[in-house]
Amino acid sequence: MDKYCVFGNPIKHSRSPFIHQSFAKTTKQTLHYDTCLVELGSFTEAVNDFIAKGGKGANVTVPFKEQALTLADELSDRARLAGAVNTLTFKDGKIYGDNTDGEGLVQDLLRNTVQLENSRILLLGAGGAAKGVVLPLLAQNPKSITIANRTISKAERLIEQFNNDKLIVCGFEQTAEQEFDVIINATSASLSGKLPAISASIITSNMVCYDMVYGKSVTPFLAWAQLKGASRVIDGLGMLVGQAAESFDIWRGVKPSVDPVINELRASLNAE
Ligand code: ATR
């Protein structure tokens, strides 16, 4: 049976095995997908070991996405520009590295009927999560993507490599002077119960606010946006399933349907 896994540390609570086994069932594919806890410093060894045991592909999560980039023999453009790999494919003695996180986000936005073409997008954050979504967002032909970060120099560094005049950089305070159609929170602030310090004046009732993280209850950023009048808020659960669907397609050549899996995960989160 074809074997896949997700490498990470910690990894116990990963939803990836559930997601990929569900995809396998609905697309009638036979495969095995497991978690693989990797000791820090043992990533290369763990990957080679998995290949030796017949592994066909793997997802990579925190904190190994950058190491996966250097390990790959060949990289997709989106992985190279993201500076990180979340999908490895082992084929013909080679390791192929790709990054499906950004496409997972884009597909989730489109699934939620969010207009991206010609839209003014505000991307909050300039870390790994933000970097990974820039190229797939640009591919949707937005009017502009403004990248606002607490540390402006980091956002400036991020856009350098893209060389695209649709990309604009500013600090959180300067966002108050602009108008946006979509705000995407790619900071890790929600994870520690904090909010990026943007002005409530940019929130309008017809804009869409997206948080890349998700949880049992609404994230601090989305709760704040709702309070300030945003009518459409979306968390990152669909992005998680979306990036997995893209990986599954790379490995198996079939695009699974994401809705049943998102619904099941949402129900299990609500029941926690
Ligand atoms: P990730 O891979 O999740 O993006 P990261 O590379 O460490 O993680 O980046 C974290 C991002 O969240 C950064 O943009 C960080 O801002 P700085 O570059 O100024 O550090 C942002 N961030 C984290 N906590 C934040 C907070 N409380 N308010 C605003 N931004 C925050």
Side-chain angles (χ1 to χ4, degrees):
M1 197 186 292
D2 288 349
K3 286 200 288 191
Y4 300 86
C5 75
V6 55
F7 294 110
N9 188 343
I11 201 66
K12 209 163 80 195
H13 299 293
S14 170
R15 314 257 180 196
S16 293
F18 170 78
I19 296 171
H20 282 278
Q21 309 279 14
S22 303
F23 289 162
K25 239 182 264 165
T26 54
T27 59
K28 301 193 168 43
Q29 302 269 311
T30 309
L31 57 86
H32 184 75
Y33 190 110
D34 218 341
T35 56
C36 181
L37 176 69
V38 180
E39 293 308 320
L40 303 178
S42 304
F43 179 67
T44 304
E45 204 184 318
V47 172
N48 287 333
D49 192 43
F50 188 63
I51 295 172
K53 286 184 181 141
K56 299 277 184 208
N59 286 123
V60 182
T61 188
V62 179
F64 301 114
K65 288 185 181 185
E66 286 79 14
Q67 279 182 58
L69 183 91
T70 54
L71 185 68
D73 299 306
E74 282 186 31
L75 289 172
S76 65
D77 282 348
R78 59 189 184 182
R80 194 172 38 79
L81 282 164
V85 158
N86 80 331
T87 306
L88 293 169
T89 305
F90 313 124
K91 215 162 111 186
D92 308 326
K94 274 192 167 178
I95 301 177
Y96 296 88
D98 203 341
N99 191 316
T100 64
D101 287 330
E103 194 55 27
L105 167 74
V106 164
Q107 290 307 321
D108 196 42
L109 286 164
L110 297 177
R111 191 183 67 89
N112 281 283
T113 65
V114 177
Q115 158 97 20
L116 294 174
E117 190 171 355
N118 219 22
S119 286
R120 296 158 301 178
I121 300 173
L122 172 60
L123 182 62
L124 302 172
K131 202 170 165 185
V133 302
V134 173
L135 192 67
L137 282 175
L138 279 172
Q140 295 300 311
N141 212 12
K143 188 177 232 166
S144 58
I145 303 178
T146 302
I147 303 177
N149 198 40
R150 187 172 57 181
T151 316
I152 300 183
S153 57
K154 211 158 136 189
E156 281 165 349
R157 270 206 308 280
L158 189 158
I159 69 159
E160 266 169 22
Q161 57 173 331
F162 289 95
N163 194 22
N164 188 309
D165 57 14
K166 286 187 175 178
L167 297 178
I168 304 160
V169 162
C170 70
F172 287 146
E173 322 76 59
Q174 292 152 280
T175 58
E177 300 147 20
Q178 300 165 58
E179 284 178 22
F180 301 101
D181 305 302
V182 182
I183 305 183
I184 300 166
N185 182 20
T187 71
S188 51
S190 282
L191 296 175
S192 49
K194 297 206 177 90
L195 283 173
I198 53 165
S199 162
S201 65
I202 61 170
I203 304 292
T204 59
S205 62
N206 51 1
M207 76 176 0
V208 177
C209 292
Y210 194 101
D211 202 334
M212 284 199 201
V213 302
Y214 67 90
K216 179 175 159 46
S217 42
V218 64
T219 72
F221 172 67
L222 297 184
W224 173 83
Q226 265 175 328
L227 191 72
K228 301 300 174 189
S231 52
R232 296 197 64 200
V233 300
I234 308 165
D235 74 10
L237 186 65
M239 176 178 174
L240 170 79
V241 180
Q243 62 77 29
E246 296 295 319
S247 299
F248 193 89
D249 188 12
I250 290 169
W251 295 329
R252 312 297 301 182
V254 192
K255 183 71 80 48
S257 120
V258 292
D259 292 286
V261 183
I262 293 173
N263 294 341
E264 262 193 79
L265 284 175
R266 184 72 68 195
S268 85
L269 271 178
N270 290 341
E272 267 175 21

